[in-house]
Amino acid sequence: MKIVLALGGNALQSNPKDTSPESQLLTCRETAKFIVDLIEDGHSISIVHGNGPQVGQILSTIEYGHKANPDNNVLVPFDVCGAYSQGYIGYHLQNSIQCELKRRK
């Protein structure tokens, strides 16, 4: 069976107060276990994800850096922040799924 698995941005952070990349990576590793269960059951999986909380965190970090150094005029547009978060979320998910597949041989 073909399954589209939609992970919301909040589902990628088990603790909304801990928005660190390490916390998200740990959550991705846990999520990967369930995804690999579906793969082992013979399903074809497509994964999509939201990224709202992650984009907000990226924007906050950039704004903080800009306030700390106002001479730095590097403000990143919203759409670029979205692309950045999509890339690193996909990277975390891909690596987590690959590690779980290898662990299960």
Side-chain angles (χ1 to χ4, degrees):
M1 175 185 301
K2 292 183 180 181
I3 296 174
V4 176
L5 182 60
L7 303 174
N10 287 317
L12 297 169
Q13 295 178 189
S14 60
N15 179 356
K17 293 183 180 181
D18 184 357
T19 59
S20 68
E22 294 82 11
S23 175
Q24 180 172 293
L25 180 56
L26 291 173
T27 303
C28 283
R29 287 179 180 163
E30 288 300 312
T31 300
K33 294 175 185 177
F34 297 103
I35 294 170
V36 172
D37 287 343
L38 293 170
I39 293 169
E40 284 184 332
D41 288 343
H43 301 291
S44 176
I45 308 295
S46 294
I47 302 169
V48 298
H49 61 79
N51 61 351
Q54 290 78 12
V55 171
Q57 179 64 27
I58 292 166
L59 283 170
S60 295
T61 301
I62 291 168
E63 289 172 359
Y64 178 80
H66 182 71
K67 288 177 185 174
N69 184 7
D71 293 335
N72 181 354
N73 289 328
V74 180
L75 290 176
V76 180
F78 185 77
D79 61 333
V80 175
C81 292
Y84 172 70
S85 69
Q86 291 169 10
Y88 87 76
I89 291 168
Y91 178 75
H92 278 172
L93 285 169
Q94 175 184 344
N95 284 332
S96 296
I97 292 166
Q98 184 179 21
C99 287
E100 183 64 19
L101 286 167
K102 283 182 180 179
R103 188 184 74 74
R104 296 187 193 190
K105 298 180 181 169

